[in-house]
Amino acid sequence: MTQSALRDGPLPAAALIERPTLRFLTCGSVDDGKSTLIGRLLYEQNMVFDDQMAALERDTVKHGTTGEVMDFALLVDGLEAEREQGITIDVAYRYFKTPRRSFIVADTPGHEQYTRNMATGASNADLAILLVDARKGLLTQTHRHATIVSLIGIKHVVLAINKIDLVDYSQVVFDAIEADFRRFADKLGFKIITAIPLSARNGDNLSVRSAKTPWYRGPALLTHLEAVDVTDDRAERPFRMPVQWVNRPHLDFRGFVGTIASGRIKAGDEIVVANSGRTSTVARIVTADGDRPNAEAGDAVTLTLTDEIDVARGDVFALPKARPEVSDQFSAHLIWMSEEPLQFGRSYFLKLATRTVPATVGSLQYRLDINTFAQDEAATLRLNEVGLADITANVPVAFDPYADNEVMGAFILVDRATNATVAAGLVDHGLRKATNVFRHDGTVSRTDRARLKHQKPGVLWFTGLSGAGKSTIANRVEAKLNTAGVHTIMLDGDNVRHGLNKDLGFSQADRLENIRRVAEVARLMADAGLIVLCSFISPFLEERRLAREICAEGEFVEIFVDTPIATCIERDPKGLYKKALAGEIKNFTGVDQAYEPPEEPDVVVGRDNEGIEKAAATVIEALVHRGFIDRFDDLVDWAI
Amino acid sequence: MLHTPMKAPLPPHLRQLEAEAIFIMREVAAEFRKPVMLYSIGKDSSVMLHLALKAFYPAKPPFPLLHVDTTWKFKEMIAFRDEAVRKAGMDLIVHINQDGVRRGISPVASGSAVHTQVMKTEGLRQAMDAGQYDAAFGGARRDEEKSRAKERIFSHRSASHAWDPRNQRPELWRLFNTRIKQGESMRVFPISNWTEFDVWDYIAAEQIDVVPLYFAKPRPVVSRGGSLIMVDDDRLPLLPDEVPTMEEVRFRTLGCYPLTGAVKSEARDLDAVIAEMRSSTVSEREGRLIDHDESGSMEKKKREGYF
């Protein structure tokens, strides 16, 4: 066992500093030996203290799977539940240090249902160790993990071919697995792949090269980890600083607080606010340790500007010559992390850098087959699936492709109802340049309001006899729209007469006024971006023409609920036909007053005793057809 | 504490950890309605307070400090707390579980488990509810204990402050999902990725004040079950044959004095403490009597709302 200098006494200060920390993750299938590997690394670096060792000896007897030999996996398998189950259920972070370097290890689960945790570990790692059981070779999980590691942009991979002792330290087995992996990884864009034959349990090739694999010429795992150069060129890339917070301790100080994502900045540089296009000049770079002349990627700073320009959390500073893209549409890889599949058209919160905006997923270009890297057609993305999708944010967002800038190209999607993180996203490319970067005239148009809701506003006017089922059908349509995330409101004849129009009677003039007011209210609500469902007998052509004229062009949808009068009389839900037929109510439509059927209704339902479901589906289909709710694929499914 | 002219630049790994912690604190200030910083007076709290002052400079941090006082802290801790808070110019809320006091709960009479549950865990819940805080910073680190290793930086708690290890949100990149429902809250651990070494190296590099109990000095102690317990006041009942003796001791962690074991040491200053720690073979939690009940006991406490 290697003795680290740590226990031999304090090291000279110079040996402990100036070594950049290496963040790496370990991943592989169940029982490949990840936890054992990390436990053993900690043990050999003397990061396991005497009291922890004593606890380990107790635990080996209670939970261990190794019999007499110390079960190093128990050092790192933290939570009680998983120790009892024998599988790792979450990402565990471990810390150890050699005289040459500090390490942060993300130990990630191998079980398929926890692949999202692996992606989590990968997102903050510089290097990945993929563990393979020498007896089993590459498995589906190995492919999946390698794909995710590649997608997340990790360039350095160690293929740790573990349990080499169980195949008699065979070079033939080792070479075959390595060749297999290199063939698969050919498309994944790794910069460096280092294959190492290992026995985590026995410590072969872990911190020193093993005499049992004389055919292996490469470094021991730890030697490789100490030496590997993962420095990135973030500081050399275009300057980006997402604003986190505005610091205003008093009237004379207004600082923009954030961590520099990439590039460099110095006092006196001209900067631009990506979204608004406003420019200013950096006055000071403020830190608690005093002002600095310059700062670079990774620094958490506070900038003050020479001009009073409008800047808020979520804005991004850049240099005018090298701006990020600003667009409300982009194409991105999604790693789906929720049990509930991706819902097209549903509004999610999208958090990119410090900006959080509502966004929808429009369509899926393909789903990635992680075994073959092939692009498949798919209806949606389910838990642990990866695909390329088109994202629409409700306002333009500043971003860069993930390949160019990790901070500016990574995002998460959050379910608005449960607050669960449902997807990790990586921007591939922008889909259209926003044409309205400088547009800020202070007025919000009805189009702007509707755009926020990702829907086309409309007035659905249900007309027909009393008892025809107008309100019932309208209610069903509204329920379906609501479930799909469409913003609606219902105006119903009876309800309106109890409030807005309670001063009106049933004279010819009052009935027209009733309809006029309802149409005006419907118009206002459509202006607010809503789909308004109006359910009124409205027996006369003139009334409905008036309503159509009040509403905006193309927004009025006349739905004729053409239930035969015999059926209406039979239903008579409010007992009104009975009274009208008995002469107790005058001017009752269908009895002693005519109903003028629409000459060219947009939709007709209620004929041939069709049920409510079929009628509602017909209306929904018409709305999809007319582009009111174009992206709701699930609604189309219901309609069929 | 700030603007010390003699300070050398931080080594890269500490600069990275500092920037990460500052980013996290700013994210909380920007995204939560009413955050609070738990202040437990120990070295980790000293580092947290220092980081908060740096993160929001020249403004004061936009949240108060909260100390859940079990009434059994070392006298020197309370004196240090009041001085540190005064120097920082921060607001401090001290919460004592008065119900526990009325019930006569103490580490001596009730044992460590009940005392911790009532005075710390329940006390924290009371204070969180009373202040209606939606986010609380804690100084926990992942290297402290096995179940901490899987803790998120932003750890979601239900309206009853419960922690569900099976239902944690994935934390991708530095994109923290800060959305919570009414009544729920978040525990936020900005120094999750720091090790005990990092904390001490940072304290040395930034010249941060810590409670003098961390440094060796002759103190009156009695030996109990292999631990050296300091006789900090006359509330600690002595057994018939027990006589406090003066020993040169220091503490690696600080808590309630009857529950905190001292170690024999001659490390009287920071450099000596760091040197001693680098050659230690015992983890820092060894000095905490509450962790010994059984392996996995920390996870149980966390599920119930202990920090």
Side-chain angles (χ1 to χ4, degrees):
Chain A
M1 182 186 323
T2 319
Q3 278 296 317
S4 147
L6 286 178
R7 202 173 278 187
D8 300 338
L11 283 154
L16 290 166
I17 56 171
E18 303 305 333
R19 302 298 305 180
T21 300
L22 180 73
R23 295 185 183 223
F24 68 91
L25 84 155
T26 53
C27 40
S29 288
V30 182
D31 298 331
D32 281 346
K34 297 175 304 300
S35 296
T36 306
L37 174 73
I38 296 169
R40 180 109 203 175
L41 275 174
L42 296 178
Y43 175 68
E44 294 202 1
Q45 295 315 310
N46 295 302
M47 301 307 280
V48 181
F49 292 113
D50 292 352
D51 51 321
Q52 293 171 331
M53 235 12 234
L56 175 62
E57 278 165 27
R58 282 198 306 275
D59 287 354
T60 298
V61 175
K62 192 169 162 196
H63 304 285
T65 57
T66 53
E68 295 284 298
V69 185
M70 200 75 81
D71 189 348
F72 291 105
L74 294 176
L75 271 177
V76 293
D77 284 350
L79 305 182
E80 276 183 358
E82 99 187 23
R83 268 194 277 170
E84 279 148 25
Q85 282 180 6
I87 53 160
T88 315
I89 61 165
D90 213 323
V91 188
Y93 292 91
R94 294 287 155 193
Y95 305 82
F96 74 97
K97 191 175 206 167
T98 72
R100 300 183 63 186
R101 199 168 208 173
S102 293
F103 298 91
I104 300 180
V105 192
D107 180 17
T108 60
H111 201 271
E112 182 170 348
Q113 73 190 99
Y114 299 112
T115 297
R116 55 188 155 171
N117 289 317
M118 204 225 89
T120 304
S123 72
N124 286 312
D126 309 308
L127 176 146
I129 298 180
L130 293 179
L131 271 117
V132 176
D133 186 329
R135 296 168 303 174
K136 297 178 188 161
L138 305 192
L139 300 175
T140 305
Q141 279 291 301
T142 321
H143 290 156
R144 178 187 296 274
H145 291 166
T147 303
I148 292 172
V149 162
S150 143
L151 198 64
I152 299 284
I154 295 178
K155 298 286 178 224
H156 298 263
V157 168
V158 172
L159 183 70
I161 300 175
N162 194 26
K163 306 194 182 181
I164 196 78
D165 53 321
L166 300 182
V167 294
D168 296 327
Y169 300 96
S170 159
Q171 181 177 7
V172 176
V173 172
F174 175 83
D175 287 348
I177 295 173
E178 181 181 0
D180 220 12
F181 184 77
R182 286 191 189 276
R183 215 163 21 246
F184 172 72
D186 197 33
K187 307 160 199 142
L188 298 183
F190 298 128
K191 205 156 97 186
I192 296 172
I193 299 170
T194 309
I196 302 177
L198 265 190
S199 167
R201 198 167 139 191
N202 301 337
D204 291 309
N205 290 324
L206 199 65
S207 36
V208 285
R209 281 175 48 182
S210 170
K212 292 171 180 157
T213 53
W215 44 267
Y216 173 66
R217 300 272 163 231
L221 176 64
L222 191 64
T223 316
H224 176 65
L225 296 178
E226 284 181 328
V228 66
D229 178 15
V230 293
T231 47
D232 58 25
D233 60 348
R234 279 189 309 162
E236 314 306 322
R237 293 179 186 242
F239 170 73
R240 304 278 186 264
M241 184 181 121
V243 175
Q244 263 189 299
W245 192 66
V246 181
N247 193 350
R248 297 212 73 173
H250 48 78
L251 286 177
D252 300 329
F253 188 90
R254 187 171 149 87
F256 303 104
V257 164
T259 298
I260 298 174
S262 58
R264 299 188 168 85
I265 192 77
K266 59 182 190 300
D269 278 350
E270 192 188 17
I271 53 135
V272 63
V273 182
N275 271 67
S276 67
R278 305 277 179 138
T279 57
S280 184
T281 303
V282 176
R284 295 168 57 197
I285 301 172
V286 179
T287 78
D289 297 312
D291 280 12
R292 294 168 54 162
N294 50 54
E296 66 173 45
D299 293 339
V301 294
T302 299
L303 302 186
T304 65
L305 306 179
T306 53
D307 312 279
E308 285 261 332
I309 61 169
D310 194 23
V311 180
R313 173 175 168 84
D315 278 325
V316 175
F317 290 142
L319 298 181
K321 285 174 302 204
R323 305 178 189 210
E325 273 191 61
V326 178
S327 173
D328 57 357
Q329 285 194 11
F330 48 82
S331 150
H333 280 104
L334 294 179
I335 303 169
W336 204 254
M337 301 199 155
S338 169
E339 305 277 347
E340 197 184 344
L342 162 64
Q343 296 278 315
F344 296 102
R346 175 182 289 185
S347 178
Y348 296 101
F349 282 121
L350 179 151
K351 184 173 186 184
L352 188 153
T354 59
R355 189 93 200 240
T356 302
V357 296
T360 55
V361 182
S363 60
L364 199 59
Q365 294 182 25
Y366 59 78
R367 184 180 64 195
L368 205 61
D369 183 319
I370 44 94
N371 294 314
T372 61
F373 225 63
Q375 301 174 358
D376 297 341
E377 263 189 54
T380 184
L381 288 180
R382 297 175 195 285
L383 181 62
N384 293 323
E385 291 184 340
V386 178
L388 187 69
D390 292 346
I391 313 280
T392 303
N394 71 0
V395 286
V397 178
F399 64 86
D400 289 297
Y402 184 79
D404 295 344
N405 194 313
E406 272 191 22
V407 177
M408 293 293 296
F411 62 89
I412 54 172
L413 294 181
V414 176
D415 186 291
R416 296 181 69 156
T418 65
N419 289 332
T421 302
V422 295
L426 306 97
V427 177
D428 197 71
H429 59 275
L431 287 176
R432 72 172 179 223
K433 306 269 182 203
T435 51
N436 48 4
V437 172
F438 300 101
R439 176 212 58 145
H440 266 300
D441 59 3
T443 60
V444 176
S445 73
R446 62 197 313 277
T447 322
D448 292 333
R449 295 186 202 103
R451 217 165 70 105
L452 273 183
K453 300 193 184 308
H454 287 287
Q455 64 189 47
K456 185 176 157 192
V459 176
L460 312 186
W461 193 276
F462 293 81
T463 174
L465 295 168
S466 176
K470 298 180 298 297
S471 297
T472 312
I473 296 167
N475 275 324
R476 190 72 195 105
V477 169
E478 187 178 31
K480 288 188 174 215
L481 292 175
N482 181 273
T483 307
V486 178
H487 300 247
T488 56
I489 183 74
M490 171 82 89
L491 296 175
D492 175 279
D494 291 337
N495 294 335
V496 167
R497 280 198 175 268
H498 285 128
L500 177 68
N501 292 353
K502 70 178 172 192
D503 58 327
L504 299 179
F506 289 87
S507 71
Q508 193 69 14
D510 276 5
R511 293 181 78 141
L512 199 61
E513 173 62 7
N514 181 43
I515 295 300
R516 188 193 68 79
R517 288 188 194 173
V518 167
E520 288 287 359
V521 170
R523 160 78 197 222
L524 285 172
M525 288 177 167
D527 278 355
L530 299 173
I531 289 187
V532 190
L533 297 95
C534 303
S535 171
F536 293 86
I537 297 173
S538 47
F540 302 118
L541 289 168
E542 187 199 353
E543 288 174 305
R544 298 193 297 267
R545 187 164 52 242
L546 175 70
R548 186 185 286 273
E549 280 164 11
I550 288 168
C551 291
E553 183 102 33
E555 284 185 359
F556 189 86
V557 182
E558 191 171 10
I559 299 160
F560 181 23
V561 184
D562 191 16
T563 309
I565 185 152
T567 310
C568 298
I569 292 172
E570 198 187 318
R571 286 179 187 162
D572 201 14
K574 298 165 198 158
L576 295 173
Y577 281 102
K578 201 176 162 200
K579 289 182 184 170
L581 289 167
E584 292 168 32
I585 308 175
K586 295 289 170 202
N587 297 333
F588 193 76
T589 307
V591 177
D592 57 349
Q593 189 169 61
Y595 177 83
E596 299 173 7
E599 286 163 357
E600 288 179 42
D602 299 291
V603 185
V604 179
V605 292
R607 289 176 184 164
D608 304 325
N609 279 325
E610 66 173 356
I612 289 158
E613 282 307 316
K614 181 142 187 294
T618 306
V619 175
I620 296 280
E621 212 164 25
L623 294 178
V624 172
H625 181 67
R626 282 154 198 268
F628 282 89
I629 49 172
D630 45 347
R631 288 208 189 88
F632 295 105
D633 294 3
D634 44 350
L635 284 174
V636 178
D637 288 342
W638 293 346
I640 289 163
Chain B
M1 196 171 336
L2 302 175
H3 282 308
T4 313
M6 302 293 289
K7 250 168 28 182
L10 287 173
H13 76 283
L14 287 182
R15 207 167 65 217
Q16 197 185 335
L17 289 171
E18 180 190 69
E20 180 182 85
I22 286 175
F23 175 84
I24 292 162
M25 289 182 177
R26 289 167 167 180
E27 206 60 8
V28 169
E31 299 241 285
F32 287 87
R33 182 181 45 80
K34 198 176 176 195
V36 67
M37 177 173 277
L38 280 245
Y39 182 77
S40 63
I41 321 178
K43 62 185 188 304
D44 302 307
S45 284
S46 288
V47 166
M48 290 276 289
L49 174 57
H50 183 81
L51 289 166
L53 293 172
K54 289 187 96 164
F56 301 99
Y57 177 87
K60 288 290 175 203
F63 41 77
L65 301 175
L66 169 64
H67 179 219
V68 179
D69 190 350
T70 62
T71 73
W72 286 87
K73 300 295 171 193
F74 292 88
K75 288 194 293 283
E76 272 183 89
M77 288 175 72
I78 301 300
F80 177 87
R81 175 194 73 189
D82 294 343
E83 178 60 12
V85 169
R86 190 194 59 76
K87 265 163 94 177
M90 298 274 290
D91 289 331
L92 171 72
I93 295 150
V94 177
H95 179 83
I96 296 173
N97 181 353
Q98 293 299 345
D99 177 56
V101 172
R102 269 192 299 278
R103 285 159 60 195
I105 301 292
S106 85
V108 175
S110 329
S112 72
V114 172
H115 173 73
T116 305
Q117 167 68 24
V118 173
M119 298 308 287
K120 263 178 113 162
T121 308
E122 288 177 17
L124 173 61
R125 285 189 205 162
Q126 289 168 355
M128 289 291 291
D129 289 341
Q132 296 191 313
Y133 302 113
D134 57 349
F137 290 108
R141 305 188 320 269
R142 286 176 179 147
D143 78 328
E144 281 179 66
E145 208 267 347
K146 262 195 281 195
S147 81
R148 294 255 202 232
K150 306 202 165 187
E151 181 61 284
R152 298 295 200 260
I153 292 174
F154 282 65
S155 178
H156 178 255
R157 301 300 155 97
S158 71
S160 57
H161 302 284
W163 176 75
D164 177 3
R166 286 184 183 274
N167 194 21
Q168 292 199 76
R169 297 169 179 179
E171 265 175 6
L172 293 138
W173 298 285
R174 287 284 169 261
L175 291 167
F176 301 109
N177 176 354
T178 55
R179 307 201 72 89
I180 52 170
K181 292 179 182 169
Q182 187 75 32
E184 296 178 344
S185 60
M186 203 71 94
R187 304 286 188 272
V188 184
F189 306 107
I191 59 169
S192 282
N193 283 326
W194 298 45
T195 63
E196 192 187 7
F197 293 89
D198 296 327
V199 168
W200 281 115
D201 286 342
Y202 188 72
I203 286 169
E206 291 283 293
Q207 302 167 15
I208 299 169
D209 291 336
V210 291
V211 184
L213 291 162
Y214 286 114
F215 305 118
K217 184 177 124 172
R219 295 186 168 96
V221 293
V222 291
S223 177
R224 286 185 180 176
S227 297
L228 293 173
I229 302 301
M230 180 172 157
V231 185
D232 195 46
D233 57 35
D234 55 15
R235 289 184 295 173
L236 187 74
L238 297 176
L239 302 173
D241 56 341
E242 253 180 357
V243 181
T245 54
M246 294 302 280
E247 301 274 1
E248 177 135 4
V249 294
R250 68 178 204 87
F251 296 85
R252 271 182 83 179
T253 61
L254 294 175
C256 298
Y257 81 81
L259 299 177
T260 308
V263 291
K264 289 191 182 177
S265 168
E266 290 170 12
R268 291 175 200 179
D269 58 29
L270 209 47
D271 288 346
V273 164
I274 291 173
E276 183 187 280
M277 189 194 50
R278 290 203 195 286
S279 59
S280 172
T281 62
V282 180
S283 78
E284 65 184 309
R285 295 202 84 86
E286 173 70 10
R288 292 210 182 167
L289 274 49
I290 57 170
D291 288 353
H292 291 321
D293 311 348
E294 58 192 293
S295 192
S297 65
M298 179 64 83
E299 186 192 350
K300 285 209 182 76
K301 289 190 195 77
K302 276 174 62 177
R303 284 202 193 141
E304 289 158 5
Y306 176 75
F307 232 77

